[in-house]
Amino acid sequence: PPPPPPPPAAQRAATIEQGDECHLCGMIIAQLPGPKAQLYEQGNPRAHKFCSIRDLLAYALDPEHQHRIHSVFVHDMAITPWDHPDDQTYIDARQAWYVIGSNKRGAMGPGLASFGDEAHARAFMASQGGRLYRYAQIDQAVLAQIGH
């Protein structure tokens, strides 16, 4: 029998190019403040890029898409500027800490901030307000509280 196919290459967050549009809302991603996000779906080598974590979650929590999502990335806002997050600072979204309801504005209004560790998330909350969540805790009800 033929040898098994090699495993797929490890997926990494892609670079946000100047003209890239948000997969959900169509806005130009690079022109907007706050953390960005992206995901890969099974069987698709191209990343879906999002202008905000809110748009990513709106897409990822949709039952139509949930089962196809392979990997998800968000910016670690502890190590990148809010207004122009760096492509080198993406982390695994499923391991990140999220501050929802802070007074920071993102691409689509109220900003969701993502962090690689709890201490940075709590420090952000202390100065900007909000509530702390893990990825698995965020559902449609939490998303609905965020507004636009």
Side-chain angles (χ1 to χ4, degrees):
Q11 290 176 333
R12 297 189 190 323
T15 300
I16 300 291
E17 304 294 340
Q18 283 300 329
D20 283 349
E21 295 178 359
C22 177
H23 186 71
L24 189 72
C25 74
M27 293 179 74
I28 301 295
I29 298 170
Q31 298 174 352
L32 302 166
K36 313 297 183 263
Q38 47 189 285
L39 63 77
Y40 287 90
E41 291 182 321
Q42 295 168 359
N44 184 350
R46 296 193 52 185
H48 292 318
K49 300 173 185 179
F50 298 87
C51 68
S52 66
I53 295 172
R54 187 199 180 291
D55 276 11
L56 163 83
L57 291 169
Y59 182 88
L61 291 173
D62 184 328
E64 183 180 332
H65 305 293
Q66 277 180 329
H67 65 284
R68 293 195 311 249
I69 296 172
H70 181 269
S71 50
V72 190
F73 300 96
V74 293
H75 281 116
D76 183 348
M77 298 312 291
I79 58 175
T80 194
W82 187 267
D83 288 335
H84 300 287
D86 188 304
D87 286 333
Q88 305 308 310
T89 62
Y90 279 106
I91 55 175
D92 181 342
R94 292 179 174 123
Q95 302 304 313
W97 295 84
Y98 296 88
V99 177
I100 296 175
S102 77
N103 60 21
K104 280 293 234 187
R105 305 300 288 172
M108 299 300 287
L112 272 80
S114 45
F115 297 90
D117 68 62
E118 183 179 4
H120 285 122
R122 289 193 181 280
F124 179 86
M125 271 185 7
S127 67
Q128 304 295 327
R131 295 171 310 285
L132 191 64
Y133 291 87
R134 297 307 307 261
Y135 186 87
Q137 295 174 307
I138 303 171
D139 59 16
Q140 294 284 5
V142 171
L143 201 57
Q145 294 172 16
I146 298 165
H148 289 280

